[in-house]
Amino acid sequence: MKKFVFVYHGSDVDANASSEVMAASKDKWMAWFGTFHDKMVDGGNPFAPSGKSVTSKGVETVSAEMTPATGYTIINANSMDDAVEIAKGCPLAQENTGAVRVYEALPM
């Protein structure tokens, strides 16, 4: 098995959503996770709305508008095609509210 990282972009709920909407969103995500739980390495977490970019020129604050990565998950899969099939079930992809970028984590 190979490791793949799902990097989420976007959100299926507004930051000011009601607790009912937030709970419904969580239920959708948990249902999707349940479809591949045996392949889960790290369920991941959402990212804070801003972070830091570190380069040789220094450090700068980046916001969600600059880099829309909103979270991650790490899974095991046989191939990129298998990982992509799993990613297609993500609530962000299903509801056209964002995207899932899939990267293979290469062994070192």
Side-chain angles (χ1 to χ4, degrees):
M1 288 267 185
K2 299 176 181 180
K3 284 189 175 46
F4 293 87
V5 180
F6 294 168
V7 179
Y8 306 117
H9 296 265
S11 177
D12 60 334
V13 295
D14 180 82
N16 299 317
S18 68
S19 59
E20 293 83 12
V21 170
M22 295 292 275
S25 172
K26 181 179 177 183
D27 289 346
K28 286 187 275 187
W29 281 85
M30 297 311 290
W32 175 55
F33 285 164
T35 66
F36 62 92
H37 70 286
D38 59 323
K39 294 177 175 63
M40 183 83 68
V41 174
D42 179 348
N45 285 294
F47 295 145
S50 67
K52 299 290 183 182
S53 175
V54 181
T55 69
S56 63
K57 296 177 183 174
V59 178
E60 84 178 288
T61 298
V62 293
S63 66
E65 293 80 31
M66 296 171 69
T67 177
T70 54
Y72 76 97
T73 298
I74 303 172
I75 68 161
N76 284 324
N78 290 320
S79 66
M80 175 62 82
D81 289 342
D82 289 344
V84 166
E85 282 304 310
I86 293 169
K88 286 179 180 178
C90 175
L92 293 176
Q94 292 287 307
E95 298 173 13
N96 297 319
T97 57
V100 182
R101 294 194 177 138
V102 180
Y103 299 92
E104 182 177 350
L106 301 174
M108 295 296 289

